[in-house]
Amino acid sequence: MEDNNLPKSYRVAILGATGAVGTELLKLLECRNFPVSALKLLASPRSSGRTLSFNGETIPVEAVSDGCFQGIDIVLASAGGSTSRAWLPQAVEAGAVSIDNSSAFRLDPSVPLVVPEVNPEAAFGHRGIIANPNCTTILLAVAIWPLHQVQPVRRVVVSTYQSASGAGARAMEELKVQARAILEGKTPTPEVLPYPLAFNLFPHNSPIVDGGYCEEEMKMVNETRKIFDAPELRLTATCVRVPVLRAHSEAVNLEFDRPFEIDRAREILSGAPGVKLVENWQSNYFPMPIEATDRDEVLVGRIRQDISHPCGLELWLSGDQIRKGAALNAIEIAELLVSGDRLSNPASMSSTALKS
Ligand code: A2P
């Protein structure tokens, strides 16, 4: 007989378990005591035979395959868009709810795109898949939503300083190897990223799409509008890859209809969920990626009046791309669903789950 006093626990699968975000998902499930009754680790056939450890147990990594989602309640996916497109429909069919880190379903109107600090209620409208937004978008949304709530933001101009981690574990390794090689006087050939990143930087390496913007920049535009439910929001982004291992930074210019009092902005952000205000003007100390690394909060600071516009406000942020920018946000969505057992079985709705 079921003991109703026992907290319910869930059968979880991580798709992309061997990657940079996958390994962080594993770590967070463990350290946040997510109620896991069984864990399945999935990756490509390249990783078959590998093992990973969870709560002191050694778990084999399996190649994703037909039928592997049977009996799974929650899939945390971070294995790229084509893998999600290929496999998540099967997960939906099997009755699991997938939280997907890839861009595959983010703009599908039937798929919620969720940042728990901003639009938690959207998660409950899922039909089997919930999308986790792009990393730079999550960090921006967490930082500007509290201000937007008080005075609507009319225009956002953002420049990003994105670490190697955004391109995965292999890109992080490439940056380390490259830096070592350059210091030894060698000229390494980049293999994961298109250009040398050590001692260099370059505009984001995602494909150029409309009007000279790259995909990463357009993700920030379209995803922020969807998360904020603000289709008219004007946003322009310049995304740049910088030789930082992990944690992205962003220079953000916000324009409002009327001046936003700086002390008020500071007060709002110092109490905002998911935000930590980091400002010491005397010592010129503000958010830095090395201090954002391994932290849950988005570090925000350098809040100042834009001297070029009376209704403009400038701020600077750093946030752990792998954590809040990906794995933590996904786990927080899962926590939202399991709190109060809002993890409905979507299988009966699977025919309408994936319209695009
Ligand atoms: P694998 O390690 O077997 O290649 P990252 O973003 O750090 O590069 O990680 C990507 C993750 O996605 C890895 O776990 C990787 O597994 C997994 N992955 C990549 N391609 C596939 C695929 N076709 N099927 C399943 N998993 C994949």
Side-chain angles (χ1 to χ4, degrees):
M1 212 174 96
E2 198 178 314
D3 181 348
N4 288 328
N5 293 323
L6 283 178
K8 196 165 173 196
S9 59
Y10 300 86
R11 294 158 298 183
V12 178
I14 301 179
L15 174 57
T18 51
V21 174
T23 47
E24 189 72 16
L25 284 165
L26 192 62
K27 195 162 107 188
L28 290 176
L29 284 175
E30 185 171 319
C31 68
R32 292 172 75 89
N33 281 323
F34 191 87
V36 177
S37 60
L39 184 63
K40 187 175 259 197
L41 302 179
L42 301 166
S44 80
R46 291 181 290 274
S47 295
S48 290
R50 278 190 65 184
T51 58
L52 293 168
S53 134
F54 176 70
N55 279 340
E57 255 185 78
T58 301
I59 303 183
V61 179
E62 300 169 40
V64 63
S65 61
D66 286 335
C68 69
F69 299 109
Q70 286 306 324
I72 295 293
D73 301 308
I74 303 170
V75 178
L76 300 166
S78 191
S82 52
T83 307
S84 286
R85 255 181 242 108
W87 292 101
L88 294 191
Q90 272 204 29
V92 174
E93 203 64 43
V97 175
S98 298
I99 300 166
D100 182 28
N101 265 287
S102 83
S103 59
F105 305 107
R106 287 184 191 146
L107 297 183
D108 183 326
S110 70
V111 173
L113 184 65
V114 178
V115 176
E117 289 85 348
V118 178
N119 60 341
E121 67 296 333
F124 304 126
H126 75 84
R127 297 180 192 173
I129 295 181
I130 297 171
N132 209 40
N134 159 266
C135 48
T136 44
T137 308
I138 293 176
L139 304 178
L140 178 74
V142 168
I144 72 173
W145 176 253
L147 303 173
H148 183 70
Q149 293 298 91
V150 175
Q151 263 179 238
V153 176
R154 296 301 178 208
R155 180 166 182 251
V156 183
V157 180
V158 56
S159 300
T160 70
Y161 302 68
Q162 298 185 221
S163 58
S165 58
R170 288 179 60 234
M172 294 170 80
E173 192 51 33
E174 179 165 278
L175 175 58
K176 287 193 233 172
V177 170
Q178 221 169 58
R180 239 178 263 129
I182 290 172
L183 289 173
E184 288 166 5
K186 298 178 189 149
T187 310
T189 310
E191 283 168 14
V192 182
L193 289 167
Y195 308 107
L197 187 58
F199 306 103
N200 190 28
L201 54 80
F202 47 84
H204 195 278
N205 46 296
S206 56
I208 301 289
V209 282
D210 305 333
Y213 284 78
C214 69
E215 270 181 8
E216 184 81 353
E217 291 160 349
M218 291 314 295
K219 283 177 189 173
M220 293 194 81
V221 174
N222 295 322
E223 294 181 23
T224 308
R225 287 175 173 167
K226 179 168 173 176
I227 298 160
F228 281 23
D229 192 20
E232 307 299 323
L233 180 69
R234 290 183 295 147
L235 193 153
T236 181
T238 301
C239 293
V240 178
R241 225 11 119 210
V242 295
V244 168
L245 266 185
R246 173 174 172 149
H248 293 347
S249 300
E250 302 180 24
V252 185
N253 181 279
L254 302 171
E255 190 182 317
F256 301 89
D257 278 341
R258 52 179 205 284
F260 206 118
E261 219 245 300
I262 297 301
D263 286 343
R264 180 87 180 104
R266 203 163 277 138
E267 184 191 316
I268 291 164
L269 287 172
S270 64
V275 171
K276 180 170 170 55
L277 193 65
V278 175
E279 282 193 327
N280 185 331
W281 291 87
Q282 282 72 38
S283 49
N284 211 336
Y285 170 72
F286 302 107
M288 287 182 272
I290 50 168
E291 295 196 345
T293 294
D294 282 330
R295 287 196 70 126
D296 287 354
E297 304 94 342
V298 179
L299 310 184
V300 182
R302 229 165 159 239
I303 303 162
R304 63 201 191 282
Q305 168 72 49
D306 172 356
I307 54 167
S308 75
H309 197 293
C311 304
L313 193 142
E314 294 274 0
L315 59 85
W316 169 257
L317 66 86
S318 295
D320 188 322
Q321 177 273 324
I322 298 179
R323 195 170 277 209
K324 182 57 188 171
L328 175 64
N329 198 72
I331 300 271
E332 286 170 341
I333 294 171
E335 287 170 348
L336 262 179
L337 296 178
V338 304
S339 66
D341 203 15
R342 301 286 293 268
L343 193 75
S344 57
N345 184 329
S348 57
M349 293 175 257
S350 60
S351 59
T352 55
L354 302 171
K355 282 196 281 198
S356 63

